[in-house]
Amino acid sequence: MLSVRTRRATAAGATALTALLTAGLTALPAHAAAGKLTISGDAANALAADGTPKQVQLRIDEPGAASNEGLTYTFDTSALTGIATFRPSASCNVKGTVVSCTDSMGPYAEAQPQLNFAAVAGAKPGASAKLHLTATTDDGATTTFDTALTVGGTKLSVQQIPAQNGVKIGSTVGTGLEITNNGTLASTQTNIEIFSSVALPFHQQYGNCKYGKDANGIASTAVCTIDTGIAPGETVHLDPMQFDVSSQALEDFVEFAVSPQPYDLTRFSTETFTQGSGPHLTLGKPETPGQGPSTVADLGTNSGAELDVTAVNHADYVALGSWQPQAGGKQGTLQVGLRNDGPALYSDRAGSSIADLQVILPAGVKATTVPSGCLLQTHLTDAANRTMYRCDTKDTQPAGFKITFNFGIQVDDPSAVRNGLVDFVNGEAPSDFDATDKLDFDPNPANNSVQLAFGTQAAATPSAAPTGAAPVAATSAAPTTAAPVAPATPAARATEAAAKPAGQELAFTGGGSDAGAIAAAGGAAVLLGAGALVYAARRRKAGAQH
């Protein structure tokens, strides 16, 4: 695993559509050129011979168009006679064989129609027809899209891969794939999507694969096209592949997805793909170059497998905090945060915060503004009348990651002793003034907290910069007026964290007896952003939480 819990909105689905939806789930939609109406979706869809409905999912985009613009899409079902029937929704009007549906483009000038089709009883396996769809928006933009509807298909299954635990940094791990077609039709091409990260980079490239890496250098994807089909009942073996165990490896995985249809690379909005070099990846038998994909698609929904890798490594997390007084100490800015001093990358499999900051304010000190992502823990009571805010951090944090939050603070008596505390706990641990649920992968708990004295004096001298990787990300959430709110659920916290804006960094003190000072970074910080979201999303779908 890559964390205690994580992502997978992944490629584990074995169809090109799954890859398309994976990109959509990251909340980082890829759009076509501004002003151009486009439709994207699977080039082929498999219909179960028993008449089970198939949901054909499409995406319609018009970048730069007005929000909630009206949309109409039409198609003629006459070509489907004897093969498939359409099951209209309330938004569709059917006149003879012509179907007209209405929708709107939504706030981001995009729509995602879902059309239900089913195979006609007695239709011959392999029978196929083209669905030709035309879309038009209220501003006059129009475009068309074709997809094949085929009765029957492959049903690819991949044998699960044993985990590899206790591996050493600097070594390699490897695996092949055993793929079986349990469907009714033979494919003519096999497409493999392989997802990894900076923790387990590809050991070598292959000439029939395209390689992409997100802008932040965290997530890596290879999409391989093998001109070899798989017949019903046949089992094939993908050539063994190797992955390097880098210094950032800790609890990670490599994810594989298999499809008879090509994956839509335009949906990977954060990655630019380049053609690989070297030998061809094969299924243990010669390719038949040039035959390409047929109209055969997959009937399954999870044609994938995962190699889980646990390395002998750790990540040292450091709590950060500083008090910058103003107006004689009666008010000021409290900046809190955490930093991953590495060497390992860590990511949460559920897409939740890895470590939540707990900000404890003493009696007589209150927050006048609260940054986005931090919530007052109204359910907690304390004999000393302290209050606690809990701040959600990101779900993917490579070595060098740093995140900060700025509170506006008011102090009733700056001359009195007012000691506060900043610490962090496992993102799934409950809030507790005496919480001891720390991070099991962090061998140095001494720097997991910072004590702060609220008064006329600023925090102590800045602490030493981390000795590990250079910071790759830092955020400072914009403050909002303080208001008591209920504690967030993990899902709500994850949503809030994804929306945090970038901001300015101040000087702050790293906590713990061995923490030195860190100089003010000053200047706008860069969000970890799309790459981390993509990475965490893949992790969520990759499997059960650990």
Side-chain angles (χ1 to χ4, degrees):
M1 84 180 181
L2 268 186
S3 95
V4 213
R5 298 118 16 208
T6 222
R7 158 201 183 158
R8 285 166 187 182
T10 159
T15 64
L17 177 59
T18 303
L20 183 156
L21 292 178
T22 296
L25 288 174
T26 64
L28 296 167
H31 293 302
K36 182 179 180 181
L37 185 66
T38 61
I39 304 177
S40 55
D42 285 345
N45 288 272
L47 305 177
D50 64 3
T52 300
K54 164 69 177 181
Q55 194 173 76
V56 175
Q57 303 193 46
L58 305 173
R59 177 166 177 145
I60 304 176
D61 289 273
E62 189 183 9
S67 298
N68 301 310
E69 178 185 24
L71 167 70
T72 301
Y73 48 94
T74 62
F75 53 91
D76 192 329
T77 62
S78 58
L80 309 181
T81 302
I83 297 174
T85 58
F86 174 62
R87 299 187 177 185
S89 64
S91 63
C92 296
N93 180 38
V94 181
K95 290 185 178 180
T97 61
V98 177
V99 178
S100 179
C101 306
T102 57
D103 202 340
S104 65
M105 293 297 286
Y108 299 104
E110 56 91 13
Q112 298 185 27
Q114 299 174 350
L115 307 175
N116 289 311
F117 292 87
V120 172
K124 182 180 178 181
S128 184
K130 182 176 73 173
L131 176 69
H132 179 76
L133 184 143
T134 300
T136 304
T137 58
D138 285 351
D139 65 5
T142 185
T143 191
T144 62
F145 178 79
D146 292 341
T147 186
L149 300 179
T150 302
V151 179
T154 61
K155 194 169 186 180
L156 303 177
S157 65
V158 183
Q159 185 175 14
Q160 294 308 299
I161 306 168
Q164 298 188 32
N165 300 317
V167 301
K168 295 182 179 180
I169 301 300
S171 64
T172 60
V173 293
T175 185
L177 288 184
E178 181 177 293
I179 308 165
T180 300
N181 181 1
N182 296 309
T184 57
L185 300 179
S187 59
T188 60
Q189 187 182 83
T190 303
N191 296 273
I192 314 257
E193 185 192 65
I194 306 153
F195 169 80
S196 186
S197 74
V198 66
L200 297 171
F202 298 99
H203 182 68
Q204 74 169 91
Q205 291 192 348
Y206 293 89
N208 55 343
C209 299
K210 292 182 178 180
Y211 294 84
K213 182 173 288 188
D214 70 275
N216 297 289
I218 297 175
S220 296
T221 306
V223 179
C224 305
T225 301
I226 303 173
D227 286 326
T228 301
I230 308 175
E234 182 182 14
T235 296
V236 296
H237 295 84
L238 180 70
D239 297 338
M241 304 182 69
Q242 288 190 315
F243 302 85
D244 296 327
V245 182
S246 79
S247 61
Q248 293 216 49
L250 178 60
E251 297 173 339
D252 217 298
F253 65 89
V254 179
E255 191 174 58
F256 299 85
V258 185
S259 172
Q261 289 291 321
Y263 290 95
D264 183 0
L265 300 188
T266 66
R267 310 318 301 173
F268 295 87
S269 60
T270 66
E271 299 181 36
T272 299
F273 286 84
T274 57
Q275 189 68 46
S277 58
H280 271 215
L281 195 62
T282 76
L283 297 180
K285 57 183 181 179
E287 292 184 280
T288 306
Q291 62 182 5
S294 65
T295 60
V296 173
D298 200 77
L299 290 164
T301 58
N302 192 29
S303 306
E306 170 184 307
L307 168 62
D308 288 303
V309 176
T310 302
V312 180
N313 206 0
H314 66 273
D316 183 15
Y317 273 57
V318 180
L320 308 169
S322 73
W323 163 238
Q324 302 294 329
Q326 301 166 0
K330 292 184 177 181
Q331 64 188 47
T333 299
L334 170 64
Q335 183 176 86
V336 300
L338 66 80
R339 185 180 70 232
N340 177 9
D341 279 0
L345 170 151
Y346 212 77
S347 181
D348 178 69
R349 288 206 168 208
S352 300
S353 170
I354 294 171
D356 279 2
L357 285 166
Q358 293 190 148
V359 183
I360 299 174
L361 301 181
V365 176
K366 70 176 182 179
T368 55
T369 57
V370 178
S372 175
C374 298
L375 297 174
L376 176 63
Q377 303 300 285
T378 57
H379 65 293
L380 295 180
T381 58
D382 180 60
N385 292 320
R386 295 176 297 174
T387 56
M388 179 191 290
Y389 289 86
R390 183 154 168 161
C391 302
D392 175 66
T393 65
K394 300 295 183 182
D395 55 15
T396 300
Q397 299 176 1
F401 173 89
K402 181 173 67 183
I403 186 169
T404 61
F405 304 85
N406 292 337
F407 286 81
I409 297 294
Q410 179 178 309
V411 180
D412 62 358
D413 182 5
S415 65
V417 176
R418 296 283 189 255
N419 291 323
L421 181 71
V422 178
D423 68 0
F424 53 79
V425 295
N426 183 303
E428 289 187 343
S431 296
D432 187 339
F433 285 105
D434 300 313
T436 59
D437 190 352
K438 302 300 182 182
L439 307 178
D440 57 8
F441 56 82
D442 185 347
N444 184 22
N447 59 11
N448 289 177
S449 63
V450 177
Q451 286 198 347
L452 297 166
F454 290 95
T456 58
Q457 300 300 312
T461 56
S463 56
T467 57
V472 296
T475 62
S476 178
T480 57
T481 301
V485 289
T489 63
R493 294 199 310 267
T495 300
E496 271 197 321
K500 291 173 187 172
Q504 300 284 327
E505 294 182 31
L506 303 177
F508 43 71
T509 302
S513 59
D514 61 347
I518 171 173
V526 180
L527 282 168
L528 185 58
L533 293 173
V534 171
Y535 185 49
R538 288 186 187 276
R539 307 193 62 122
R540 278 194 294 276
K541 190 165 181 179
Q545 86 180 34
H546 289 53

